[in-house]
Amino acid sequence: MPDPTAAAFELTHRPVLVPVALTSPCIALLPLPEGTVIQILGPAARVEDVCAITDATGFSLRGNGPGQWFAVGDEPDKFAELAATLPDGFTAIDQSHGRVRIAIEGESVGEVLAKGTGVDLALFETGRAATTLIGHVATHLARISDDRFELLVTRSFAENVWDDLKIMAAEYLGVSHE
Amino acid sequence: MASLISCPHCGIRPKEEYAIKGAALPRPAPDAPRSVWFDHVFLRDNPRGPYEEYWHHAGGCRRWLIVTRDTATHEVLACRDAGAEPAVTA
């Protein structure tokens, strides 16, 4: 029998960041779609097994320290599909509700991010990913290309990081940061 | 304080990314006398010179590390993952 109170308590998904990009000729801050984010834990030596699964299911795989990965994709509700094909020895945790992605791109991206993180971005090649602090917030940083990074932050800190990024990028966006 | 710690997984990162637990000491046997456990838990030697400590890379790879730090000069002499150490797994 359907629960008569279900409709009253139906959850509505609202993005935590206003989906409006901030752009200038040399820098752009882009809130990304809240699709699917999956944390994967398992033996570090078997990274190829995880790669094969994420490639087949259309996720982008990003390292996060030894034996830890994030699989991210733009489409929502894809957790079950990946979890069903995960080999023995690995654990997947759905973080789609808990983490938010932000992209930052443009020729000044290195100068902007260097104001907030201790990672040496000159040595951080395309394809690398790591967790670091941006200000006081633990943020997963992935270099997508020479002038594009993606940030993954816990949902409750996303607005804070977005505001910090606005301040860090203010001189390149041509706005006052007050 | 030593301000740059060379994480074996993440590279050189500022100390703000880490949490320090304290001295990395060999763990007594589970049935050791209470006096030995009291010493292990509460009493510290505070030596001058190289000193091994547990550091947690809380704002990074979230691995426990053993950092060898000189208490007089704050120089970081070595940094290795604690997972392979018998003192942790005992």
Side-chain angles (χ1 to χ4, degrees):
Chain A
M1 194 179 114
D3 180 356
T5 58
F9 293 102
E10 196 172 336
L11 296 176
T12 306
H13 181 90
R14 293 191 187 90
V16 65
L17 296 173
V18 179
V20 175
L22 295 173
T23 58
S24 81
C26 58
I27 197 76
L29 295 177
L30 315 152
L32 293 178
E34 291 185 15
T36 302
V37 178
I38 300 169
Q39 187 174 21
I40 300 174
L41 305 171
R46 287 170 57 197
V47 61
E48 294 84 9
D49 295 1
V50 190
C51 269
I53 297 297
T54 48
D55 285 353
T57 44
F59 281 94
S60 167
L61 187 71
R62 286 140 196 205
N64 181 31
Q68 307 170 62
W69 301 270
F70 281 111
V72 303
D74 289 343
E75 283 182 55
D77 303 326
K78 296 257 286 175
F79 173 71
E81 189 183 331
L82 183 138
T85 50
L86 210 61
D88 280 351
F90 291 91
T91 306
I93 305 135
D94 192 359
Q95 288 284 327
S96 312
H97 60 287
R99 292 181 199 243
V100 171
R101 289 158 65 211
I102 300 168
I104 177 164
E105 64 181 21
E107 63 185 54
S108 302
V109 69
E111 287 89 337
V112 172
L113 286 176
K115 295 181 188 179
T117 172
V119 172
D120 189 344
L121 297 169
L123 304 175
F124 200 76
E125 308 96 355
T126 297
R128 269 188 71 183
T131 299
T132 180
L133 290 188
I134 291 199
H136 293 282
V137 182
T139 305
H140 186 257
L141 193 68
R143 187 164 212 160
I144 308 301
S145 69
D146 213 28
D147 58 0
R148 181 180 166 105
F149 287 80
E150 275 190 27
L151 278 54
L152 188 64
V153 294
T154 45
R155 187 182 172 93
S156 51
F157 282 115
E159 278 187 287
N160 178 269
V161 169
W162 178 262
D163 288 343
D164 279 355
L165 289 172
K166 268 202 298 201
I167 294 171
M168 285 151 64
E171 62 176 303
Y172 302 100
L173 289 167
V175 296
S176 159
H177 60 69
E178 291 307 320
Chain B
M1 282 302 296
S3 58
L4 291 174
I5 307 296
S6 192
C7 172
H9 309 297
C10 304
I12 296 172
R13 298 290 184 88
K15 74 173 195 316
E16 285 77 11
E17 291 194 1
Y18 298 83
I20 311 171
K21 185 196 169 206
L25 302 169
R27 193 178 165 87
D31 57 354
R34 287 184 69 166
S35 59
V36 173
W37 271 104
F38 184 85
D39 192 330
H40 174 73
V41 175
F42 295 111
L43 303 181
R44 293 290 173 268
D45 292 340
N46 193 21
R48 180 184 173 85
Y51 193 48
E52 291 201 329
E53 290 167 327
Y54 287 121
W55 286 54
H56 186 226
H57 198 180
C61 58
R62 303 200 58 81
R63 296 290 296 182
W64 280 99
L65 310 171
I66 295 180
V67 175
T68 311
R69 184 175 68 87
D70 192 307
T71 56
T73 64
H74 300 314
E75 186 186 357
V76 174
L77 304 165
C79 183
R80 60 192 196 274
D81 193 292
E85 300 288 322
V88 179
T89 54

